[in-house]
C-alpha cells in the first residue's frame, strides 16, 4: 500500500517514467520452518531469498517487464544503479549490472557470524567455520532444506566446502 502511494505520487508529478525504482529487503524471516521464529540466526532460504524488484527508467532499453531467471545477489544493486547513472563501476566490483542479460547463474554467497552459505540454483551448502561442519541440500528436490545430504554426498560436500573457503579467503580482510 505504501509503495503504491509513492508510485502514484511519482506518476502525478510526471516523474515515474524517468525514475529508477529498486525495491528489496535485506533479509527474510523465519516462521518455524527450521524451529525458529526470528531472523538473523540461520542462512536457510526463508532468510536469504528476498524480494528484488527493479523498474528501469523509460523510455530506454529495459522498459519491458521481465523476470530474471539466473540467480542474482544484492551486491548487484550498486553496479545496476551506476549503469543507469552512466557511471562505470570499478573493475574489482563483485556485483553485476542487472540491466545486462546474464547467460547463466553464478554462485551466490551469504554470511552470518561464523556461517557462510554457498547457493547455486540446484544446491546449497551452509558451512559453519566455528565447528568445521556443514549442511548440504538439493534445492530442486528439497526446497524447504529439510534433508541434509552432507553425509551421503562427500564429493559434493568437499567441492562446495572448498569453494566456501576460497570465497572467505578472497573477500574477507582481516
Amino acid at each position: 500500500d505504501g509503495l503504491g502511494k509513492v508510485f502514484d505520487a511519482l506518476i502525478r508529478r510526471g516523474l515515474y517514467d524517468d525514475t529508477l525504482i529498486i525495491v528489496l529487503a535485506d533479509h527474510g524471516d523465519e516462521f518455524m520452518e527450521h524451529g525458529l521464529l526470528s531472523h538473523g540466526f540461520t542462512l536457510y532460504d526463508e532468510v536469504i531469498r528476498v524480494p528484488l524488484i527493479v523498474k528501469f527508467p523509460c523510455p530506454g532499453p529495459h522498459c519491458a517487464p521481465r523476470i530474471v531467471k539466473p540467480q542474482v545477489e544484492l551486491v548487484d544493486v550498486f553496479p545496476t544503479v551506476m549503469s543507469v547513472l552512466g557511471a562505470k563501476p570499478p573493475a574489482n566490483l563483485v556485483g553485476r549490472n542487472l540491466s545486462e542479460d546474464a547467460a547463466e547463474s553464478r554462485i551466490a554467497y551469504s554470511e552470518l557470524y561464523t556461517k557462510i552459505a554457498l547457493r547455486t540454483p540446484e544446491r546449497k551448502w551452509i558451512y559453519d567455520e566455528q565447528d568445521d561442519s556443514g549442511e548440504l541440500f538439493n534445492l530442486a528436490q528439497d526446497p524447504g532444506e529439510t534433508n541434509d545430504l552432507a553425509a551421503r554426498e562427500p564429493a559434493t560436500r568437499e567441492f562446495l566446502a572448498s569453494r566456501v573457503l576460497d570465497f572467505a579467503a578472497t573477500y574477507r580482510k582481516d
Side-chain angles (χ1 to χ4, degrees):
D1 187 50
L3 285 174
K5 290 176 183 175
V6 171
F7 299 160
D8 289 343
L10 289 170
I11 291 167
R12 279 193 312 276
R13 290 174 175 83
L15 299 172
Y16 182 81
D17 288 342
D18 296 329
T19 302
L20 170 67
I21 299 172
I22 300 175
V23 179
L24 58 89
D26 63 339
H27 60 76
D29 287 294
E30 297 171 274
F31 294 102
M32 300 303 290
E33 295 90 345
H34 290 92
L36 293 171
L37 184 61
S38 184
H39 65 263
F41 296 104
T42 72
L43 293 173
Y44 296 114
D45 272 5
E46 57 265 18
V47 175
I48 67 170
R49 288 194 67 201
V50 297
L52 175 58
I53 301 167
V54 180
K55 190 220 62 83
F56 289 96
C58 293
H62 305 289
C63 290
R66 66 186 171 107
I67 295 174
V68 175
K69 293 290 184 183
Q71 185 166 266
V72 300
E73 298 180 89
L74 294 181
V75 295
D76 299 330
V77 172
F78 181 64
T80 302
V81 171
M82 289 191 74
S83 170
V84 170
L85 295 175
K88 186 174 181 186
N92 63 347
L93 196 64
V94 177
R96 69 179 176 208
N97 179 357
L98 294 173
S99 68
E100 298 171 356
D101 289 329
E104 60 188 49
S105 286
R106 65 175 187 266
I107 293 173
Y109 294 92
S110 299
E111 292 184 83
L112 180 67
Y113 307 116
T114 63
K115 295 180 182 180
I116 303 173
L118 173 158
R119 189 183 196 288
T120 71
E122 301 83 27
R123 298 288 180 142
K124 182 153 171 209
W125 170 248
I126 302 174
Y127 175 69
D128 191 334
E129 294 175 295
Q130 187 171 9
D131 59 12
D132 192 33
S133 67
E135 297 174 279
L136 175 64
F137 301 102
N138 180 326
L139 298 172
Q141 296 173 357
D142 179 24
E145 298 169 289
T146 59
N147 186 19
D148 181 4
L149 302 173
R152 286 179 283 199
E153 296 186 22
T156 302
R157 178 189 69 222
E158 293 307 315
F159 173 73
L160 296 178
S162 70
R163 297 294 302 264
V164 161
L165 295 175
D166 289 346
F167 167 83
T170 303
Y171 295 106
R172 287 188 178 160
K173 305 289 184 217
D174 292 327

